[in-house]
Amino acid sequence: MTEHEMADIFGTDRSLLITNVVADNRSVDIFVDEKGTIGSIGPEGRKDYRNEADFIIDGDGAIAVPGFVNTHTHAAMTLLRGYADDMVLQDWLSQKIWPLEAHLTGDDVYWGTRLACLEMIRSGTTTFNDMYFFMEDAARAVGEAGIRAVLSYGFIDLNNPEKRESECRATEKLVAHIRTLGNPRISAAAGPHAIYTVSPEGLKWCAAFANEEKIGIHIHLAETEKEVTDCTELYGKRPAAHLDACGILTPRTVAAHCCWLNEAECALLARQGTSPSHNPASNMKLATNRAMPYHWLSEAGANITLGTDGCASNNNLDMFGAARTAALLQKFFWNNPTLLPAPEALSMATANGAKALGLPTGRLVKGAPADIVLVASRTAANTPLHNATSNLVYSCSGGDVETTICNGRVLMLNREVPGEETVLAGATAAACGLVKRAGSG
Ligand SMILES: [Zn+2]
């Protein structure tokens, strides 16, 4: 491809032919039509689309996987990466994270989200489920970056009726704003933060609003043991039962962490169709002292998904790392090497995540949106290639991703992402400005 053709391939709605890639252990060609849909996926050279396609990408034996779906993050927290580590959760939040967040501006969230999207594109994630503040600015960043996101405003009322009113209005405003964008890649969800930051009235309002608007719900659940003890004392119920009584557990709900669920709560989540999001790196870093009970959730038939959490507690957005850490943590914590095998880890990161968010992506099939990631196979990490799924989960990292396509648009080709320097400079300036403002009170 000439340099001129390279420039043309980015950010345009043109048809593509991706040749010679490995999908589901067979060599295939993938044709993407100009609407951004997978028009055909089949044995190499079965039908020659060369005359139809505007661009041809030579896959050179790369492994093709669906773009990853990160079901729990706070994207703009990339600005806080490395700002405070190795602390006790409560001190970390009250002494470091919250004081800094108090100085956040919409501009910061824009640049933090641009940086997050860049990191996701570089590591093969094409969809993320986000919860934060200044979400109109996050939506602008996602729109420009070209990936897919479900955005929720972090609803926190702290049992204060006045604050509750303003949080309700903020949630309504974001949902209305995202509707006006009319961008098929961006949708909205309600984002009640957690049971310890949102009153039962606030939770009920979010549940009713999400139901009315036919949108998802994004919440943190049972992250720490203290959350369970406090909830039982206050409401006479464990966290999942409390959420259920408030109408929050629905098939459109994603519940992040779920570390301290008991067996009955796992069954309740599965029964209500609520999708847990496993965030192993964050849980280990903040020492939640218990791994999400994957075996109980899985036996109950829950749709288990995978997330990275924000960059202050991970500290990256690499879903390869999340899949590997999940598979290792489950085996280690529950003392069972057969728990969470590689194919299940890969499903969590792709099809299960898409299902949780109600999106038609997460699978490489004809008619699905072309969210496609090509992982280099002629690398040390992928040699030998006895089992592509095993290598993807246990051996590869985000740096092995060569090409990322979302909704038919090429966002990275052979590790090149247009405009990368601008994003890095803008995010660096925003992060330094934020720390400076917080330091000067
Ligand atoms: Zn979180």
Side-chain angles (χ1 to χ4, degrees):
M1 215 175 279
T2 66
E3 221 164 90
H4 175 68
E5 284 171 327
M6 279 274 281
D8 272 356
I9 199 171
F10 292 114
T12 52
D13 290 321
R14 307 278 199 82
S15 57
L16 293 170
L17 178 66
I18 308 163
T19 62
N20 182 25
V21 291
V22 177
D24 295 326
N25 290 315
R26 56 189 188 134
S27 190
V28 297
D29 289 346
I30 304 173
F31 177 70
V32 176
D33 64 29
E34 62 287 337
K35 293 195 283 296
T37 306
I38 297 176
S40 157
I41 176 164
E44 216 185 329
R46 186 188 55 173
K47 182 181 171 213
D48 200 350
Y49 284 95
R50 272 162 210 278
N51 298 329
E52 272 176 64
D54 294 315
F55 292 103
I56 296 170
I57 295 175
D58 176 7
D60 191 30
I63 302 165
V65 285
F68 288 139
V69 181
N70 183 347
T71 56
H72 180 65
T73 191
H74 313 282
M77 287 185 97
T78 45
L79 298 188
L80 279 63
R81 189 190 336 256
Y83 175 69
D85 301 308
D86 315 321
M87 293 176 73
V88 172
L89 174 65
Q90 214 50 43
D91 297 346
W92 176 76
L93 282 173
S94 62
Q95 293 167 17
K96 291 287 185 178
I97 302 302
W98 290 339
L100 201 67
E101 284 184 337
H103 292 267
L104 268 180
T105 64
D107 210 38
D108 294 335
V109 169
Y110 168 79
W111 283 113
T113 309
R114 281 303 303 262
L115 175 60
C117 291
L118 172 64
E119 190 181 351
M120 288 190 253
I121 290 165
R122 294 197 73 83
S123 54
T125 293
T126 52
T127 303
F128 68 105
N129 190 30
D130 201 37
M131 179 203 289
Y132 213 52
F133 316 107
F134 301 102
M135 296 309 285
E136 280 88 353
D137 297 281
R140 187 160 55 94
V142 173
E144 290 172 17
I147 66 175
R148 214 180 278 285
V150 179
L151 305 175
S152 55
Y153 169 76
F155 184 117
I156 295 178
D157 70 6
L158 303 173
N159 257 318
N160 174 336
E162 256 169 57
K163 176 115 172 91
R164 180 154 59 248
E165 270 311 302
S166 66
E167 296 297 82
C168 295
R169 298 298 85 79
T171 301
E172 289 169 343
K173 189 164 160 269
L174 174 67
V175 173
H177 173 75
I178 287 176
R179 286 258 155 80
T180 62
L181 296 178
N183 186 329
R185 289 184 285 102
I186 307 178
S187 46
H193 176 267
I195 56 172
Y196 55 91
T197 45
V198 185
S199 64
E201 293 80 6
L203 292 171
K204 284 177 190 162
W205 184 87
C206 287
F209 180 70
N211 186 41
E212 243 166 62
E213 297 283 333
K214 303 275 169 286
I215 56 174
I217 300 175
H218 186 184
I219 192 164
H220 297 91
L221 171 62
E223 183 173 3
T224 64
E225 188 173 22
K226 183 177 182 324
E227 182 182 331
V228 179
T229 319
D230 290 354
C231 182
T232 312
E233 232 168 70
L234 247 160
Y235 303 114
K237 292 187 190 82
R238 288 180 61 95
H242 175 59
L243 283 188
D244 195 35
C246 295
I248 290 288
L249 300 186
T250 77
R252 304 178 320 273
T253 304
V254 174
H257 301 304
C258 296
C259 308
W260 284 88
L261 295 183
N262 69 14
E263 202 169 352
E265 288 178 294
C266 291
L268 173 61
L269 253 67
R271 212 161 48 239
Q272 298 294 43
T274 291
S275 301
S277 172
H278 188 21
N279 290 240
S282 169
N283 298 156
M284 289 165 77
K285 188 166 183 239
L286 292 165
T288 57
N289 199 23
R290 193 166 185 263
M292 183 192 79
Y294 181 88
H295 49 305
W296 291 338
L297 285 162
S298 161
E299 278 158 23
N303 177 51
I304 310 171
T305 71
L306 190 64
T308 57
D309 209 353
C311 263
S313 57
N314 185 304
N315 295 1
N316 63 44
L317 302 172
D318 185 345
M319 286 286 282
F320 286 87
R324 179 171 192 264
T325 310
L328 299 183
L329 174 63
Q330 287 297 326
K331 291 164 181 52
F332 178 77
F333 187 86
W334 300 105
N335 194 24
N336 178 356
T338 69
L339 199 56
L340 189 37
E344 289 177 31
L346 199 56
S347 297
M348 282 169 73
T350 54
N352 296 9
K355 185 180 171 199
L357 301 178
L359 297 172
T361 180
R363 289 179 312 145
L364 294 185
V365 290
K366 189 179 171 189
D371 294 0
I372 305 168
V373 165
L374 305 183
V375 182
S377 65
R378 297 185 212 289
T379 58
N382 261 325
T383 303
L385 199 57
H386 290 309
N387 181 326
T389 302
S390 169
N391 283 2
L392 288 168
V393 172
Y394 291 119
S395 174
C396 293
S397 68
D400 296 309
V401 173
E402 279 183 325
T403 294
T404 301
I405 298 166
C406 180
N407 214 33
R409 287 198 174 191
V410 179
L411 304 180
M412 177 168 80
L413 183 67
N414 300 324
R415 300 293 297 160
E416 187 198 336
V417 181
E420 174 162 12
E421 290 302 324
T422 312
V423 174
L424 295 179
T428 303
C432 294
L434 175 61
V435 170
K436 213 168 171 184
R437 285 198 304 282
S440 57

